[in-house]
Amino acid sequence: MMKQFFALVRGHSHEAAEAVVDRNALVILRQQVRDCADAIAAARRAVAIAIAQNDQEIVQFKKLVARIEDLEQRTVAALEQGRNELAREAAETIALLEAERDASDAAQKTFGTEIERLKRIVRASEMRLRELQRGQRIVAAVDSTQRLRESAPGSSLSALRDAEATLLRLRTRQKQIDAAAAAMAEMEQSGDPAAVSEKLAAAGCGMPLKSSADTVLERLASKIARPA
């Protein structure tokens, strides 16, 4: 019985932890992406340091080669002069420098191979990070959309419907006001003799009450055509 009780407690704890993770999955993802970006930035710095150290090793190697060449020339000169003891001392120094040169050359090769491997890892990691960042932006947009859809029975879409209804009422009221104003103007004109005369004249019934551009042109043309 106790085993079942402990299993029940562990099961509830596991499900509660999963529910917390699910609710905060986007926050967790953002932090994980930041952690990945920090790790890749640290890796880039490490590769840059390794490249700088390898460059220093190359400079040291070149100095060793130059020193060996110089000592070899001087050793040959000492042998030619019969100064064998001095030549032996120089030869021992050359042997030590050659061992150091060979070690530097081997270190450069190992360092170069490792640097190229690290560069490939960093480049691949950067590509994966960019893919993660794109995916993060997509899931963030989807999450916002899903939250809006989940809240549809509540305030979000309800507020949209309320706003649309208010807009419809405003438009309807404005149309009613415009129609009432037009009707009032029509009624005012129907009882005004001057307005009735203007309406008849505009319809071509009788002489026009106002001069138009055509009537002005006809009058001026008749004056020109009239003999002096």
Side-chain angles (χ1 to χ4, degrees):
M1 187 68 180
M2 291 299 295
K3 289 183 179 179
Q4 293 174 345
F5 175 75
F6 286 130
L8 177 62
V9 171
R10 288 198 305 271
H12 279 303
S13 299
H14 179 72
E15 290 180 0
E18 283 190 341
V20 171
V21 170
D22 289 340
R23 284 196 302 270
N24 298 277
L26 192 56
V27 176
I28 294 171
L29 176 62
R30 282 198 295 265
Q31 184 57 46
Q32 289 173 333
V33 170
R34 284 193 292 268
D35 292 341
C36 292
D38 292 341
I40 291 173
R44 279 198 297 263
R45 288 192 294 271
V47 172
I49 292 172
I51 292 172
Q53 292 174 342
N54 192 47
D55 291 341
Q56 291 177 352
E57 190 68 34
I58 292 172
V59 171
Q60 182 65 21
F61 176 82
K62 291 179 179 179
K63 288 180 179 179
L64 287 171
V65 171
R67 288 179 63 188
I68 290 170
E69 290 178 353
D70 178 69
L71 280 173
E72 284 180 347
Q73 292 174 0
R74 296 179 188 277
T75 303
V76 170
L79 288 172
E80 290 174 349
Q81 294 174 12
R83 305 180 68 176
N84 294 333
E85 289 297 326
L86 186 58
R88 172 172 289 278
E89 182 181 352
E92 291 174 352
T93 303
I94 290 172
L96 292 174
L97 290 176
E98 285 180 342
E100 188 174 351
R101 178 201 62 192
D102 294 341
S104 176
D105 183 55
Q108 287 177 56
K109 291 178 181 177
T110 303
F111 233 42
T113 302
E114 188 65 15
I115 286 171
E116 289 302 317
R117 186 182 71 84
L118 291 174
K119 282 182 177 179
R120 289 194 298 271
I121 292 174
V122 170
R123 284 195 294 269
S125 299
E126 288 173 341
M127 292 177 63
R128 292 173 65 184
L129 176 62
R130 286 193 290 271
E131 185 64 27
L132 269 174
Q133 290 169 335
R134 284 192 291 269
Q136 176 192 337
R137 291 193 294 271
I138 292 171
V139 296
V142 172
D143 182 71
S144 298
T145 306
Q146 287 177 344
R147 288 179 186 276
L148 177 64
R149 188 168 61 241
E150 288 172 0
S151 63
S155 60
S156 298
L157 292 187
S158 177
L160 287 173
R161 286 192 293 269
D162 291 343
E164 290 168 349
T166 301
L167 178 61
L168 180 60
R169 285 196 302 270
L170 285 171
R171 287 178 174 171
T172 303
R173 186 167 176 269
Q174 288 173 349
K175 288 180 180 179
Q176 290 174 349
I177 292 172
D178 290 341
M184 288 294 295
E186 181 68 23
M187 285 189 296
E188 288 176 359
Q189 290 182 357
S190 63
D192 186 3
V196 174
S197 298
E198 288 181 2
K199 186 181 293 188
L200 290 170
C205 301
M207 294 295 292
L209 298 177
K210 297 179 180 179
S211 297
S212 64
D214 292 335
T215 58
V216 172
L217 288 174
E218 289 178 2
R219 186 177 69 250
L220 295 176
S222 64
K223 285 183 180 181
I224 295 171
R226 188 182 304 162

